[in-house]
Amino acid sequence: MLYFRLNYLELEKKLLKKAFLGIMLALLLIGMITYLLTVSVHAILTPPFDVLYVSSFYGGSYVKAMNGLMFFIEHSGGGSWISRFGTTFFYALNVSTGTQVWNYSADEWLTINFDSQRVYFGGNKGHLTAVNQKDGSVCWRLNLTGAILANPAVENNTVYVGVTDVIYAISANSGDILWQKTIPSRPREDAKTAEGYGSPPEPGVHTEIISLLSQDHYIYGVITHEKTVVWGRSWARYASSDIFCVDLSSKEIKWLIPSPQYDKGFVGVIADFVFLGNAPMYALNISTGEFLWNLTTDEFGLFPHEISVHQITSDVILVMGRDSTYVNTTNGEIIRKGEPGFFYKNKLYSCRTKLVVINNEVVPRIELREIDCLSGNISWTHTFLDLNEQYASPIIYNDVLFLVCSDRIYALRSSQRAPSLSFLGLDLLTWAIIIGVLTATLGAILMFYKKKHRGILSHISAAIFRLISLN
């Protein structure tokens, strides 16, 4: 009998322990669901909107928003994409206030990229400069022989730049050159760009890397050649480009093939595809460089670096230029076209001018539309009657809407801040905190129970043994 009673106590102990663990896990799960519901309810972007602030806009094109900053760049100058010249003005705005935090300017055409801490500037004078993202202070500067025409590529704390026919790998922390790789590309006389007679130019070859992208330990690039041939007083200039992929782990070239377009760079890398050029845009197999299909629309009308590609589903991409084009990546067929906008969380936000009647007068105002990228349907439209503006470009960062107008920026937040879901008079966030405290308390009780339970059981067992002995 004593044996069965002791086994019963041991079973009771195990069941009690499992019950405690079950209650803790249940409370933890309920707390997590409550917190996620709270976050999802608060993170909305629907009209109407409240104006948070209005700030001055200094011009330029939007580049990126991160770490509480919004970056813009303005180029002035000319030349082709391969031989650009001019000046660059770059600046960072505080997204909470709209004030300018710092700026950086140079008497050259700058290329640019980011990591989580720094901004990297390359230029046609051969300078590569790393700038602190928070305050604009220069971290380091490296001088290379030749122009840096492609935007630097950044991966795994390493910056990659192309100069003439060489890829340089540079430490993001120190600016030291880690290694370099020459791309064995050669000019071809398959495209004559100019010819003449008398006073011939200097013969020779001009080589530049004009585009770089990195992803998943590979770097993809475009290298161009301009070859001038002179015979007597006659001369001709030929142009050609190659595209290549370098394995960053082995530092070996994975593939190198002729490009169908001269002076066209890469647009983006998504899943198993690399996208090149515009009008047409080519899709390449990311592993082999094989050309799969091309998009023949001429509506992009922009340089490749002004086009963006976004993945909508596993087999649908959105190509954003002057228009938005949805493409089936399986065969390159166009699914539908639409207006351009700002891509955010699989939605497209587009502004246009709408004429409205205010105080018996017809005036232009900004209309914003949210378009679902999966269906193409318009989710909602909203006209900003109180803003005396007619043109704007939308930007969204952390569920705050920014309308960039000609000389000012409006920061707006949805007025519908969290329908107050509650239970027994307390909102969801309060319940999440209470459940978290309960879970921690039960955990402490369980730890105490595990330490003391053995002693309690021994006392109970001794008492039972004495009762049996008396009987």
Side-chain angles (χ1 to χ4, degrees):
M1 181 182 291
L2 177 62
Y3 172 77
F4 288 111
R5 290 188 178 182
L6 290 176
N7 277 350
Y8 175 79
L9 289 172
E10 191 66 28
L11 179 63
E12 186 184 48
K13 169 184 153 184
K14 290 180 179 179
L15 289 174
L16 188 58
K17 181 179 178 181
K18 289 182 178 180
F20 266 115
L21 288 173
I23 293 171
M24 284 182 62
L25 288 174
L27 286 173
L28 184 62
L29 182 62
I30 293 171
M32 290 175 63
I33 293 173
T34 305
Y35 175 76
L36 290 174
L37 281 172
T38 304
V39 172
S40 64
V41 168
H42 279 264
I44 56 177
L45 189 68
T46 55
F49 296 93
D50 295 326
V51 177
L52 300 178
Y53 64 80
V54 182
S55 68
S56 299
F57 178 53
Y58 305 94
S61 303
Y62 169 75
V63 181
K64 194 181 186 74
M66 60 187 299
N67 297 332
L69 298 171
M70 192 179 302
F71 301 98
F72 292 86
I73 192 168
E74 184 172 16
H75 289 114
S76 60
S80 67
W81 192 28
I82 294 178
S83 57
R84 291 171 289 191
F85 62 88
T87 60
T88 303
F89 180 67
F90 179 91
Y91 61 96
L93 297 182
N94 185 315
V95 296
S96 299
T97 63
T99 56
Q100 187 179 133
V101 180
W102 58 270
N103 65 72
Y104 182 85
S105 60
D107 188 22
E108 57 182 321
W109 191 288
L110 295 180
T111 54
I112 186 172
N113 209 339
F114 303 78
D115 64 14
S116 60
Q117 303 177 50
R118 291 169 285 264
V119 186
Y120 302 95
F121 298 103
N124 52 356
K125 293 182 180 180
H127 307 303
L128 177 65
T129 306
V131 171
N132 187 300
Q133 206 175 105
K134 292 182 179 179
D135 57 17
S137 59
V138 175
C139 302
W140 51 262
R141 178 176 283 114
L142 177 66
N143 295 327
L144 298 170
T145 305
I148 304 173
L149 300 183
N151 287 328
V154 184
E155 186 171 331
N156 292 334
N157 212 32
T158 305
V159 185
Y160 301 93
V161 296
V163 177
T164 60
D165 60 348
V166 178
I167 298 290
Y168 291 91
I170 300 158
S171 168
N173 293 327
S174 64
D176 296 330
I177 297 175
L178 304 176
W179 53 268
Q180 60 190 70
K181 177 75 175 179
T182 300
I183 307 301
S185 174
R186 297 291 179 264
R188 306 185 309 273
E189 295 182 10
D190 56 1
K192 185 184 292 185
T193 59
E195 59 183 336
Y197 180 80
S199 301
E202 288 292 326
V205 178
H206 180 70
T207 299
E208 297 288 356
I209 293 174
I210 63 168
S211 180
L212 283 181
L213 289 177
S214 65
Q215 182 166 300
D216 297 334
H217 306 294
Y218 290 94
I219 194 163
Y220 306 90
V222 179
I223 184 169
T224 65
H225 306 281
E226 287 187 353
K227 181 179 180 180
T228 301
V229 179
V230 177
W231 58 95
R233 294 180 61 81
S234 300
W235 59 273
R237 182 173 291 124
Y238 302 88
S240 61
S241 295
D242 288 333
I243 51 181
F244 61 87
C245 173
V246 177
D247 185 333
L248 296 178
S249 300
S250 64
K251 305 177 183 60
E252 297 297 327
I253 294 176
K254 188 175 183 181
W255 44 262
L256 173 67
I257 56 177
S259 173
Q261 297 177 317
Y262 174 66
D263 77 1
K264 300 295 185 183
F266 283 118
V267 174
V269 181
I270 292 180
D272 297 329
F273 302 93
V274 184
F275 299 100
L276 171 74
N278 66 321
M281 184 186 76
Y282 292 85
L284 287 71
N285 183 295
I286 198 170
S287 300
T288 64
E290 175 189 2
F291 289 92
L292 303 175
W293 48 262
N294 65 76
L295 193 62
T296 56
T297 178
D298 293 329
E299 295 182 3
F300 298 149
L302 301 167
F303 289 114
H305 64 279
E306 297 175 304
I307 299 173
S308 59
V309 182
H310 309 276
Q311 187 164 15
I312 305 302
T313 65
S314 59
D315 56 359
V316 176
I317 60 169
L318 166 62
V319 184
M320 188 77 66
R322 288 200 176 117
D323 295 284
S324 60
T325 305
Y326 297 84
V327 184
N328 186 323
T329 56
T330 305
N331 51 27
E333 292 184 357
I334 295 175
I335 300 171
R336 65 177 182 272
K337 296 181 180 180
E339 57 197 272
F342 188 87
F343 181 79
Y344 183 74
K345 293 183 178 179
N346 248 18
K347 306 284 186 181
L348 199 63
Y349 296 87
S350 178
C351 284
R352 62 180 183 177
T353 303
K354 180 180 180 181
L355 295 177
V356 298
V357 177
I358 299 177
N359 297 328
N360 297 322
E361 183 181 357
V362 178
V363 293
R365 287 294 184 264
I366 298 168
E367 180 186 74
L368 177 68
R369 306 203 293 177
E370 181 189 81
I371 303 167
D372 183 80
C373 291
L374 292 173
S375 64
N377 297 328
I378 297 174
S379 306
W380 50 259
T381 63
H382 179 72
T383 304
F384 294 93
L385 299 176
D386 297 332
L387 305 185
N388 189 18
E389 306 283 352
Q390 55 180 316
Y391 302 110
S393 298
I395 297 170
I396 301 167
Y397 175 70
N398 283 352
D399 295 314
V400 176
L401 170 67
F402 299 89
L403 294 179
V404 182
C405 301
S406 58
D407 59 354
R408 66 192 70 188
I409 297 178
Y410 296 86
L412 307 106
R413 173 172 284 154
S414 175
S415 303
Q416 300 183 25
R417 299 307 298 164
S420 184
L421 298 181
S422 61
F423 180 68
L424 297 179
L426 300 177
D427 61 27
L428 289 181
L429 188 57
T430 304
W431 275 114
I433 295 171
I434 292 173
I435 291 170
V437 172
L438 284 175
T439 306
T441 304
L442 282 174
I445 293 172
L446 181 60
M447 293 298 294
F448 176 80
Y449 175 80
K450 286 177 67 178
K451 288 181 179 180
K452 300 296 183 181
H453 192 64
R454 184 174 297 176
I456 294 170
L457 281 179
S458 63
H459 289 301
I460 294 173
S461 301
I464 293 171
F465 182 76
R466 285 195 297 271
L467 287 172
I468 293 171
S469 299
L470 290 173
N471 291 333

